[in-house]
């Protein structure tokens, strides 16, 4: 039998059978080859699998179909290992909040680099617009403009005022999407607003640290009445990139990759080489310092990983 993983708790899975849409509780049988030994989980929500039924209708998963893509985060307690958040994604929505909690541009840039690396279409959602003052809304619009100039699609939204939710539905319709962001950024609230009746658990922001509390503890797929589905995920603190060479990182920053053609040296790494078009663009403001800073950090991390 064939199906799709729609829920993962770590030891148990739920599989949606392809022909009947029946849901089975499932476990893993046999040893699965991981993408890399640093991965902590062999299966992710979104995976297509083959399985066999035994007594009490328990499904034993016997095979994983090849993934077209996936997104990865660093494991919480194991710095050298990574965890697949979701796979076979059509659209990855990054939920950016200027405050409650504050989202850093570096975190957003890591997400976008991962999308570029694993061939996933990103959408930046600027959430909680209804709680911002006029000056803060201007800051959001400035950030939006920067990323639109690079070529990324953005949308300002609010789950409470329902700002642009109809436009968001058009983007999500018929696709497998995934919502990402810090704990407290409003992922589950947004799912509830788009699909009334799900009643996903949500929580308020901690007054002490203005950070979100984890309300989603495992990844799960939910289906839209308007077509398609979404993978709701636990709050992510840091994205990871594996199997990436230092020289490849510039490929995942479109504005840097475009400028590299103007550099004097074809193998320019854009650090301190003479006549580097990227560094020139950095000085003129054509490339943002926050983006370049993330680029340098990712190169350093790729270099470190290659030596382990």
């Amino acid at each position: 039998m064939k199906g799709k993983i729609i829920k993962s708790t770590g030891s148990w899975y739920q599989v949606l059978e392809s022909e009947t849409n029946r849901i089975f509780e499932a476990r893993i049988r046999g040893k699965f080859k991981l993408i890399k030994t640093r991965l902590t989980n062999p299966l992710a929500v979104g995976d297509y699998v083959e399985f066999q039924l035994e007594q009490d209708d328990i499904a034993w998963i016997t095979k994983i179909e090849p993934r077209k893509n996936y997104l990865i985060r660093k494991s919480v307690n194991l710095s050298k290992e990574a965890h697949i958040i979701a796979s076979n994604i059509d659209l990855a929505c990054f939920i950016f909040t200027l405050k409650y909690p504050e989202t850093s541009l570096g975190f957003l840039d890591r997400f976008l680099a991962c999308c570029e690396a694993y061939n996933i279409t990103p959408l930046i959602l600027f959430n909680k617009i209804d709680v911002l003052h006029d000056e803060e809304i201007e800051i959001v619009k400035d950030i939006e403009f920067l990323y639109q100039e690079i070529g990324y699609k953005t949308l300002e939204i609010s789950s409470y005022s329902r700002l642009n939710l109809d436009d968001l539905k058009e983007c999500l319709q018929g696709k497998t999407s995934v919502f990402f962001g810090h704990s407290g950024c409003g992922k589950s609230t947004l799912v509830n607003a788009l699909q009334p009746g799900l009643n996903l658990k949500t929580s308020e922001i901690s007054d002490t640290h203005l950070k979100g509390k984890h309300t989603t503890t495992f990844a799960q797929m939910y289906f839209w009445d308007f077509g398609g589905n979404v993978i709701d995920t636990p709050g992510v603190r840091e994205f990871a990139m594996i199997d990436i060479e230092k020289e490849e990182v510039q490929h995942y920053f479109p504005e840097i990759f475009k400028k590299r053609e103007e550099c004097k040296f074809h193998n320019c790494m854009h650090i301190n080489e003479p006549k580097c078009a990227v560094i020139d663009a950095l000085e003129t403001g054509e490339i943002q310092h926050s983006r370049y800073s993330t680029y340098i950090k990712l190169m350093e991390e790729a270099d470190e990983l290659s030596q382990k």
Side-chain angles (χ1 to χ4, degrees), residues 100-115:
Y100 310 133
E102 180 182 353
T103 306
S104 72
L105 294 181
F107 185 58
L108 171 57
D109 289 336
R110 282 176 176 271
F111 165 83
L112 293 172
C114 282
C115 287

Side-chain angles (χ1 to χ4, degrees), residues 76-119:
V76 177
N77 299 318
L78 301 166
S79 60
K80 294 181 182 179
E81 296 191 340
H83 182 91
I84 300 177
I85 306 169
S87 67
N88 299 314
I89 305 158
D90 299 316
L91 184 70
C93 300
F94 184 92
I95 302 180
F96 184 101
T97 44
L98 190 67
K99 60 181 184 180
Y100 310 133
E102 180 182 353
T103 306
S104 72
L105 294 181
F107 185 58
L108 171 57
D109 289 336
R110 282 176 176 271
F111 165 83
L112 293 172
C114 282
C115 287
E116 296 283 353
Y118 299 116
N119 196 29

